[in-house]
Amino acid sequence: MEYKHIVEGRFIERLNRFIAMVEIQDTEGKEKDSARIERVHVKNTGRCRELLLERARVYLEKCGSPKRSTAYDLVAVEKGKRMINMDSQAPNRAVEEWLRDGGLFPDIVSIKPEAVYGSSRFDFYIESRDEKIFMEVKGVTLEDKGVVRFPDAPSERAVKHVDELVAARRKGYRTFVMFVIQMEGVEYFTPNRDTHPQFAEALCRAAENGVEILAYDCVVTPGSMKINQPVPVILNPDIHENFRISLGKNKFADIPIPLLKWYDKNRRILPWRENPDPYRVWVSEIMLQQTRVEAVKPYFERFMKAFPDIAALANAEEEMLLKLWEGLGYYNRVRNLQKAAIQIESIYGGRMPDTYEELLKLSGIGSYTAGAIASIAFGKPVAAVDGNVLRVASRLRRDERPVTDPKVKESVERELKAVMPADRPGDFNQAMMEIGACVCVPNGAPLCEKCPLESYCMAHMAGTEQEYPKKQAKKPRKIEEKTILIVRDGNRVAVRKRDGKGLLAGMYEFPSMEGFHTAGEVAAYLTENGLKILQIHSLEEAKHIFTHREWRMKGYMVRTDKLEPERTGGFTEGWLYIEPGETRDKYPIPSAFGVYTKYLDIRLGKERYEEDLNK
């Protein structure tokens, strides 16, 4: 079914059921392009509120009759990236063409539109060699998250037609209700119980009495609509969600071939990827948790140089470990890394276990890391599902479940394992991660035009990519205010070691006071603790965000005549007095204090590594 003389416009408002105002770009003539506002005929008397939004892109057919008060008919609209035909006459036209082409019955003898039966007029009366058939056609434009429903407003006439089909069926006719989905790529059809429960009940009665309920989607362009393929019909409201999930599971079955083909051409060259030794894979995966690839690269190279194998890691001094990790954050990762290395030395004879189950027994290794090591280093068919993979999976299926729910992660692991190529499990896992990191990105619009899974992605079809993944609301972070003190004499600076447990355990920090304080309050407090203050001035404020808390800091540079206070204990208990240059190889200082280390010409973490590379 095709239109002629299609014009594009922008919807402004709907004046009534039949008339809308549309802005049309005037490109005729020699003058500069200009827009004009036209009254147009709406070829759908339904509400269509979710379609006819202000500034929505619409498509109009130019009318050939000069006697009409409106020169255009509104026939199609874009909803996200989905094209929807909203011409109420189009379904019957498309169905008739489809039937005449043998779409449903290969042996049709005749087709008669608008056939009367009892007190109803059905859309089609059809005769084949052996059967007499009545068919009622309903166009469907109401779509939400891949589910299509009818009607979008109560329709007593629709109920009457369905009941009449039951009567015809009892008289020996074969009867159909055919829902024409005026768009492509939906999940399933279900009656709109919220809007008109009586219609839903009538449809269920009809199905129980032998009326055949069909739904087909359509290939839609601005100027055409053609019946495409069947869509599942779900009449029972109790199985909607389960059906959605079961359909979603099938989405993964199609992705391995295009995904791996893309990966082979586009994968990044990474030091741990080119030499997937189990130890290197393990260290890289721990470093990459909560950290970008580019930030990890210099740390990985230095770490491998300092600790080339599991034995070296198991026997390393903790402060050296922390110093090499300085700036990566989440310092328990490196502590657990060493604990696991000790386990491997004592339990597994220094060899990394090669099964998912044994890897899970090691400190700091969860399901994702175990899956990554088992698949990449040992070729085991185990899924490795991280945040990147969950985001890709969620968008592919328009999954409404919160990805922060552990049960969702477990189900995605099972489903991906079921479709994973047995000969390339590691590459499959890395390809899923790579798509999430480089194409299906978390911040801003995903790069769908570069994605090999574009044609499989339900969120992309609906133009709702950035609505996924769904997440549960986070608890607000705890706010902590601190006053950071850079206390120094001519050459040295005061630092202290944090407790061995808790946040930033075992790291070194500048002395601090809880809460925000004025320069006068700081000077008085230090004087009370035995320091002679020569000078104090303010430094800039800073903020550092941890997973569950946030530090808000203001700082002061404090100069004293000597660092050692005249009395011991109290606030200055445990202070160490060091040369700033000593922090290069000793005294790991977390990046939370990065704003203030610059006043001592100290370089932390990545800055220090980049400085070394540039020498």
Side-chain angles (χ1 to χ4, degrees), residues 40-52:
V40 305
H41 176 234
V42 181
K43 297 193 74 174
N44 190 317
T45 57
R47 293 175 180 176
C48 302
R49 290 171 180 168
E50 79 288 354
L51 299 179
L52 296 180

Side-chain angles (χ1 to χ4, degrees), residues 123-239:
D123 290 313
F124 293 100
Y125 172 68
I126 306 156
E127 288 190 0
S128 68
R129 285 194 295 266
D130 302 315
E131 295 178 303
K132 295 181 179 180
I133 303 155
F134 283 113
M135 177 180 286
E136 184 66 11
V137 174
K138 303 296 182 187
V140 182
T141 61
L142 181 62
E143 177 271 341
D144 180 41
K145 298 181 175 65
V147 179
V148 285
R149 293 178 169 86
F150 179 93
D152 70 346
S155 174
E156 296 303 326
R157 181 171 174 268
V159 173
K160 178 185 174 184
H161 283 161
V162 172
D163 287 340
E164 290 278 11
L165 284 172
V166 173
R169 176 62 184 152
R170 287 172 178 162
K171 291 292 185 178
Y173 292 93
R174 189 175 179 186
T175 54
F176 291 86
V177 180
M178 178 161 173
F179 293 97
V180 176
I181 316 303
Q182 293 174 250
M183 65 197 81
E184 189 177 6
V186 299
E187 286 190 20
Y188 63 91
F189 167 84
T190 190
N192 195 346
R193 292 178 178 273
D194 296 334
T195 297
H196 198 187
Q198 292 81 5
F199 175 77
E201 291 163 7
L203 207 60
C204 289
R205 287 196 306 271
E208 290 168 1
N209 284 278
V211 178
E212 297 174 61
I213 315 298
L214 306 179
Y216 276 72
D217 74 354
C218 295
V219 175
V220 177
T221 71
S224 68
M225 188 175 86
K226 185 176 182 180
I227 303 296
N228 184 33
Q229 60 184 1
V231 169
V233 174
I234 304 298
L235 300 180
N236 186 339
D238 296 331
I239 64 172

Side-chain angles (χ1 to χ4, degrees), residues 556-607:
Y556 291 96
M557 175 70 77
V558 181
R559 289 193 175 272
T560 68
D561 63 344
K562 62 177 182 177
L563 282 176
E564 290 86 349
E566 294 181 350
R567 67 175 72 96
T568 59
F571 181 65
T572 59
E573 182 72 25
W575 283 18
L576 298 174
Y577 311 107
I578 66 172
E579 300 281 346
E582 292 182 84
T583 62
R584 182 167 194 83
D585 300 307
K586 297 166 61 178
Y587 307 111
I589 299 176
S591 59
F593 300 101
V595 168
Y596 301 113
T597 58
K598 66 185 179 184
Y599 293 102
L600 301 175
D601 196 28
I602 295 173
R603 295 291 180 267
L604 299 180
K606 186 180 178 183
E607 286 184 357

